[in-house]
Amino acid sequence: MKKLIAIPVALFVLSNISCLKREETYTPIIYHGSLQEVSISPSDPLVELAGEKKAFVYLPPGYDSTDTLTLYPVVYLLHGYGGNYRFWQDFEDISEIADYLISTWEIRPIILVMPDGFNLLGGSFYTNSLAPDSTDVFGRFEDYITNDVVSYIDNNFNTLDSVSDRGIIGISMGAYGAMRLAFKHPDVFHAVGAHSGPVAFDDFIEEDAGGKTLTEWVKLGLMAENGGRIPCPIDTLGNPVRPIPDPDRPLTSMLFAMAGAFTPRISSNFADTLNYDFMPILKVGDSYKGVLLPFDTLFSIKLDVWDVWSREADIVHLAEENKDAILQNDLKIYFDCGYKDELYLTSQAETLHNELESLGIPHQYEIFHDGAGYPPDRFPAGHGTHLYLRVRKSLDFVVNEIKGEGPPAQFIPPY
Amino acid sequence: MRWIRGGMMFLLFLPVVLRGGGFALEGVGPRALSLGGAYRSLAQDWSAIYWNPAGLAFAERPSFTLSSAFVSPMSSVILRTGLLGYDGGYPLKFRVNSAPQTFPIPSGGGVFPFNYYTSFGVGMSLFVPFGLGAKWNLYDPPIGFYEPGFEPDPPFPKHDWESKIEVVSLFAGIAGKIGRHVSLGVSFGPSFISADLQRVDLIDLASIDSSATYGPVQYRYLPLIVRVKGSGRTYGISGGVMVSLLQDRLRFGLSALSYRSADLSGDYNLHLYLPKNDAIAAQLTDPSEKFLFSGNVMSSKGDVKVSLTLPVVMGGSVSYQVSPKWLFAVGAEKTTWSVLKDIPLDFQGGLDPMGQPLQNYSLPMRWKDTWRFGGGLEYAPSPIVAMRIGVTSDQTPIPEETFTPLLPDIGKKVGVNIGLRYKIKGRLLLEGRYEFLRADQTTFSGLKDVDGDGSPDNMPGDYTLSVDTFEFGITWGF
């Protein structure tokens, strides 16, 4: 009788043993870094016209502020137009993405810095807003990032402070900024990643029988937003009329912001607003701070203004102008754009790619399509829709190109 | 006129066995399965009700059997969907194993040949519920879906994909010989079915708020936990013929088993999990849009009716007693799973978590007919002991287009059975078997939408399946 009971019991136990030992899932262990909010005062007080300048700083898992022997490379993340230093964390959960990539050994432990490029016009394009006589109009944001922010980070955190340990990534206006700063300062940044950037300004204009004019989609967008003529943002007393930035007129606001970066002016002649020769933004004493728009009321291009945009601001031109420095410093370049960018920037990425090829500047470039499981008709690869996924590529690229002496990628400090 | 042998009231508890979580009729009886299921020509014990009722006419003495199998399926998957929360973006799982489970499957019955008793035989019934299925922890909300430290209420279930199917069958059979060599038999009875299924569907946020079309991709797919439970009853009938030649050394058997369609009724529960992002919510002005980023869980429940079409199982086998010690058998079986094209779900006018009427839905299955082949050898060196070995080769009815981990019956499966019989004191028989079943690792690639409703109907990935089964039975002869 005992045998009759023992045999089935033994069989039952045996059948369960292999199940008991089995783990259900193989999961990565995610170590968590920390996010600090810091104030970084600019040398130029006009940078803080729109408010105090803060930044988020992501410190990787295991970061110990007292351990000054363990130093980390740094990647700067630039936000887009209308955003601020909080963008990358609030909308793209960048600290969690970084935790994941570091914990799974995909990238080495790094410090991420998210500075503030917001200004009075909604976005600085990370440019020194200077009138032709070098008067500072809306703030020297290029200097703020490359000097003030970089110095602050290197002085207050355990960073590897050589150019080979510094990268920069941006989205939209931030992509423009990343490219601009990297091309003009390849002695500051060793690797750049850019998503959906306006990087070939000539694609904003087209030629017809009447000469150069804004492209159709820009014209239609401006007309739809303004009902015809673009109103002056303020009146002669400086009171807001249709102020910039305006959430209901994003295209208009962005063009003003670009003009504020590339062709700002200080003038006292309000009459110049008639043909967009001067559009005031802010009354300062008896004068006005404002911008020159590169087109007139019929959207015809004003060649003298456009020449400044094209010659001094356009990324394609900056690549040509800084080619020797870029090659000498071996700047690493990655950029992409969604194939259904709502701002029609796909062609600009292609233009920049062709230009870099012709200049012999090595780079990686991608027109981003849909991902598996995301049908393109319902999930268009637009301006920022897939940034959560795309930033993995740019972080992979930039971090792996930073060949510093920091902790090796496989090292995850134990808690 | 020769005596009509056989014919008995025979009540058999007949489980429908899920092989490794797959929904496939396997069979019953340690001897039958030890011989690779090639038993339609040999069945003359209690399991003849399932294999071939005609075999009841060849039973030599009354007997009663209790048997139980312990099935331990192991499935695993490396998903290849690209969908956030599964393996897209920043996957939080690499290889996923189905939750360890062992399923006890009891069965039993009695056989009473007419020529032993002058009165009609009476059988005994046994109702023992059991369950088979699969449990998976496949999905987690992607990183960034919730703010750090936030937990939804109710929390996201650990086992988000679950299937549990229980079937209890109660058959009676009768058979009679025509002449000395041929018998015909029939069995019939009710089957009681209960099913409890849960899975994660991903709802496009843009289907709720069209302005989300150009929104961040990590918030576009909202996980919806769908749980459907139902039970019902159906009836089955089986008929067969058995031929015995060469003094019972060569035997042939053919049989077919058919079930009436089953109507199950039960209830559904739906939980839609919304993301939590205060920064995005602050940017939105419409209160209903703000709510979509509140981290809340929206729920609904109601009644559901399910209609299930069951296949016909038909097959045959040949056996040959090579010598008093050696027996050889081979067989084949076809199951007409192609009748399972869709499973209509009638939500009885219930509501979804957004308060909208639920559309009745046909779950696409598009299953295929399957063939199973098997064979075995039995070596009985003495009347007390016998050893058996059998092999089966089985297909899956589930096509790539509708394959999901709910029923992880993948590819071609090969099983090897070894069995043992031991007779105690002349009337007590112990039988046992062990089955080792494996399927080749199978890769399903690409999300498929076979019904064009915008939602994928399959789950691509690299799947493995193995099943270990121990079974034993005890028979009392009278």
Side-chain angles (χ1 to χ4, degrees):
Chain A
M1 190 61 188
K2 286 183 183 175
K3 284 184 188 174
L4 284 177
I5 296 170
I7 291 171
V9 168
L11 290 174
F12 179 74
V13 169
L14 281 172
S15 72
N16 275 276
I17 283 178
S18 57
C19 293
L20 289 172
K21 286 185 178 175
R22 190 178 54 167
E23 284 181 58
E24 278 192 42
T25 58
Y26 294 94
T27 60
I29 298 173
I30 307 297
Y31 298 91
H32 297 287
S34 63
L35 201 63
Q36 288 189 15
E37 186 179 75
V38 299
S39 286
I40 306 180
S41 297
S43 304
D44 175 8
L46 291 186
V47 167
E48 288 192 315
L49 263 180
E52 182 188 3
K53 283 287 162 258
K54 296 185 180 181
F56 270 151
V57 180
Y58 166 83
L59 301 172
Y63 180 90
D64 179 356
S65 60
T66 63
D67 177 5
T68 54
L69 294 179
T70 302
L71 305 176
Y72 296 83
V74 184
V75 176
Y76 291 82
L77 300 174
L78 305 186
H79 62 81
Y81 178 76
N84 59 25
Y85 70 100
R86 299 189 65 96
F87 167 80
W88 280 99
Q89 178 57 31
D90 285 351
F91 292 90
E92 303 299 342
D93 311 291
I94 193 66
S95 66
E96 291 166 85
I97 291 174
D99 286 343
Y100 180 92
L101 296 176
I102 292 170
S103 299
T104 56
W105 299 359
E106 191 161 325
I107 63 174
R108 61 197 303 162
I110 52 164
I111 292 173
L112 296 175
V113 180
M114 291 156 262
D116 195 337
F118 184 82
N119 72 351
L120 215 59
L121 291 144
S124 64
F125 280 81
Y126 305 95
T127 302
N128 292 338
S129 172
L130 303 176
D133 61 358
S134 298
T135 303
D136 187 357
V137 182
F138 294 108
R140 295 172 184 261
F141 276 83
E142 180 173 324
D143 293 347
Y144 173 64
I145 302 294
T146 55
N147 297 335
D148 299 332
V149 175
V150 170
S151 298
Y152 178 92
I153 297 298
D154 287 343
N155 290 334
N156 289 278
F157 296 93
N158 300 336
T159 65
L160 293 158
D161 57 6
S162 70
V163 60
S164 61
D165 302 300
R166 217 177 280 122
I168 188 165
I169 293 171
I171 169 69
S172 191
M173 177 186 85
Y176 171 85
M179 288 289 219
R180 178 189 178 93
L181 300 183
F183 283 11
K184 291 186 70 178
H185 305 277
D187 56 333
V188 177
F189 302 103
H190 181 61
V192 56
H195 301 289
S196 309
V199 293
F201 288 170
D202 280 345
D203 283 20
F204 281 130
I205 64 175
E206 60 190 19
E207 195 131 3
D208 62 17
K212 291 187 178 180
T213 180
L214 289 175
T215 56
E216 201 63 28
W217 78 268
V218 178
K219 280 190 224 176
L220 291 172
L222 289 173
M223 287 167 62
E225 286 185 1
N226 299 284
R229 181 186 165 75
I230 298 175
C232 191
I234 60 174
D235 63 17
T236 53
L237 297 177
N239 299 316
V241 174
R242 289 295 299 274
I244 297 290
D246 182 350
D248 294 328
R249 295 184 297 153
L251 180 60
T252 308
S253 301
M254 196 166 64
L255 283 171
F256 268 79
M258 292 172 79
F262 309 140
T263 47
R265 288 294 186 272
I266 296 177
S267 171
S268 54
N269 189 359
F270 204 88
D272 287 339
T273 63
L274 285 174
N275 202 30
Y276 304 161
D277 290 329
F278 174 68
M279 296 292 268
I281 302 295
L282 179 71
K283 193 170 191 298
V284 181
D286 293 331
S287 301
Y288 304 93
K289 289 193 176 191
V291 303
L292 304 187
L293 293 177
F295 52 89
D296 61 20
T297 55
L298 298 177
F299 306 112
S300 296
I301 298 299
K302 296 177 182 173
L303 294 177
D304 56 336
V305 178
W306 185 257
D307 186 56
V308 176
W309 284 43
S310 179
R311 184 169 41 79
E312 295 183 12
D314 179 30
I315 298 297
V316 169
H317 185 84
L318 288 175
E320 291 169 3
E321 196 173 79
N322 296 279
K323 170 189 167 184
D324 291 341
I326 290 169
L327 290 172
Q328 192 173 353
N329 287 280
D330 194 26
L331 177 68
K332 304 298 183 184
I333 305 168
Y334 168 86
F335 60 98
D336 71 9
C337 191
Y339 84 109
K340 267 210 162 182
D341 189 283
E342 304 92 284
L343 300 180
Y344 301 94
L345 297 178
T346 313
S347 64
Q348 295 198 20
E350 290 167 345
T351 300
L352 178 62
H353 160 66
N354 293 332
E355 180 65 21
L356 293 177
E357 291 261 293
S358 70
L359 291 172
I361 296 177
H363 60 283
Q364 285 193 25
Y365 147 82
E366 181 184 354
I367 296 297
F368 185 87
H369 286 71
D370 56 278
Y374 294 88
D377 57 328
R378 289 191 292 125
F379 295 87
H383 191 63
T385 51
H386 291 70
L387 183 61
Y388 171 87
L389 300 172
R390 290 155 59 188
V391 73
R392 182 177 185 171
K393 290 191 179 183
S394 58
L395 272 175
D396 271 355
F397 175 84
V398 167
V399 175
N400 288 321
E401 290 296 345
I402 295 174
K403 293 176 178 22
E405 299 298 322
Q410 292 80 2
F411 171 66
I412 301 292
Y415 280 124
Chain B
M1 178 183 289
R2 294 183 183 276
W3 284 105
I4 296 176
R5 268 192 73 170
M8 58 288 296
M9 181 69 77
F10 178 68
L11 295 172
L12 167 69
F13 176 74
L14 170 68
V16 171
V17 174
L18 291 125
R19 186 191 286 280
F23 192 63
L25 297 172
E26 180 178 81
V28 295
R31 187 187 184 211
L33 295 169
S34 296
L35 292 174
Y39 207 57
R40 285 178 166 84
S41 55
L42 287 168
Q44 58 189 66
D45 55 7
W46 64 280
S47 66
I49 285 285
Y50 172 80
W51 291 106
N52 188 348
L56 294 171
F58 285 89
E60 293 175 353
R61 60 171 63 191
S63 64
F64 179 74
T65 299
L66 281 177
S67 175
S68 188
F70 297 91
V71 183
S72 299
M74 288 190 285
S75 305
S76 79
V77 61
I78 297 175
L79 290 172
R80 306 284 189 200
T81 66
L83 290 172
L84 298 179
Y86 287 108
D87 65 332
Y90 309 96
L92 293 170
K93 298 178 178 54
F94 301 137
R95 178 172 286 282
V96 182
N97 294 315
S98 57
Q101 298 182 91
T102 296
F103 301 95
I105 308 175
S107 58
V111 57
F112 302 94
F114 276 125
N115 63 349
Y116 193 85
Y117 292 110
T118 55
S119 60
F120 212 83
V122 184
M124 186 168 67
S125 63
L126 208 70
F127 291 94
V128 180
F130 66 92
L132 286 178
K135 276 189 196 178
W136 302 86
N137 176 8
L138 279 179
Y139 179 91
D140 279 332
I143 61 171
F145 192 81
Y146 291 128
E147 285 167 353
F150 178 81
E151 275 289 329
D153 181 23
F156 202 83
K158 180 185 175 189
H159 293 117
D160 33 74
W161 286 70
E162 272 191 61
S163 62
K164 188 177 179 187
I165 304 177
E166 299 176 341
V167 181
V168 174
S169 291
L170 210 62
F171 269 36
I174 189 165
K177 278 189 176 177
I178 301 171
R180 290 178 57 188
H181 303 291
V182 179
S183 70
L184 296 173
V186 64
S187 66
F188 56 89
S191 287
F192 306 93
I193 305 171
S194 69
D196 186 351
L197 304 172
Q198 176 174 286
R199 57 175 282 163
V200 178
D201 278 341
L202 296 180
I203 307 299
D204 185 358
L205 176 62
S207 66
I208 301 172
D209 178 1
S210 58
S211 66
T213 301
Y214 279 93
V217 69
Q218 65 268 34
Y219 302 114
R220 283 293 303 279
Y221 273 137
L222 309 181
L224 174 71
I225 295 287
V226 179
R227 190 175 199 117
V228 173
K229 292 163 65 173
S231 61
R233 186 175 60 196
T234 188
Y235 299 91
I237 184 165
S238 174
V241 59
M242 192 176 282
V243 177
S244 172
L245 301 171
L246 300 180
Q247 294 159 351
D248 210 29
R249 285 164 54 200
L250 178 65
R251 294 171 71 151
F252 300 89
L254 288 172
S255 70
L257 168 64
S258 175
Y259 285 95
R260 185 171 159 266
S261 292
D263 290 321
L264 313 182
S265 59
D267 53 65
Y268 70 87
N269 273 274
L270 306 176
H271 297 293
L272 181 67
Y273 287 78
L274 303 179
K276 171 78 168 158
N277 190 311
D278 291 337
I280 292 180
Q283 296 244 322
L284 301 167
T285 52
D286 186 331
S288 61
E289 289 181 344
K290 279 180 178 295
F291 183 75
L292 290 174
F293 291 90
S294 62
N296 275 282
V297 181
M298 304 179 70
S299 304
S300 69
K301 58 183 179 181
D303 297 328
V304 66
K305 285 192 186 303
V306 180
S307 186
L308 201 61
T309 306
L310 297 173
V312 173
V313 185
M314 61 190 98
S317 76
V318 176
S319 61
Y320 184 62
Q321 190 79 47
V322 179
S323 71
K325 294 183 181 179
W326 286 96
L327 170 75
F328 168 73
V330 292
E333 173 183 288
K334 178 178 178 179
T335 307
T336 60
W337 283 114
S338 59
V339 299
L340 199 59
K341 291 187 171 37
D342 299 291
I343 297 182
L345 301 171
D346 180 352
F347 291 105
Q348 305 281 286
L351 301 177
D352 69 15
M354 305 299 289
Q356 301 300 313
L358 263 177
Q359 301 295 322
N360 290 340
Y361 177 68
S362 279
L363 185 69
M365 306 295 282
R366 316 292 161 89
W367 283 17
K368 307 174 291 191
D369 292 346
T370 58
W371 280 93
R372 186 154 67 103
F373 302 95
L377 272 175
E378 180 179 87
Y379 174 63
S382 76
I384 296 173
V385 173
M387 291 168 282
R388 301 154 185 150
I389 185 164
V391 177
T392 57
S393 172
D394 194 0
Q395 299 172 322
T396 177
I398 309 174
E400 178 174 351
E401 293 77 23
T402 60
F403 184 93
T404 73
L406 269 185
L407 297 172
D409 187 355
I410 64 170
K412 181 180 154 188
K413 303 175 288 291
V414 174
V416 175
N417 276 272
I418 52 175
L420 190 68
R421 181 200 76 197
Y422 184 75
K423 189 177 273 189
I424 301 173
K425 296 181 181 177
R427 289 182 182 272
L428 202 62
L429 195 67
L430 290 179
E431 291 189 289
R433 75 171 178 107
Y434 165 70
E435 181 180 22
F436 171 91
L437 181 141
R438 292 291 182 270
D440 291 337
Q441 176 171 308
T442 303
T443 295
F444 299 117
S445 56
L447 288 164
K448 305 279 194 296
D449 178 11
V450 296
D451 55 4
D453 66 349
S455 293
D457 296 307
N458 68 336
M459 186 66 71
D462 303 328
Y463 287 87
T464 66
L465 171 68
S466 66
V467 184
D468 294 293
T469 304
F470 291 93
E471 183 173 12
F472 70 97
I474 182 165
T475 300
W476 289 270
F478 301 103

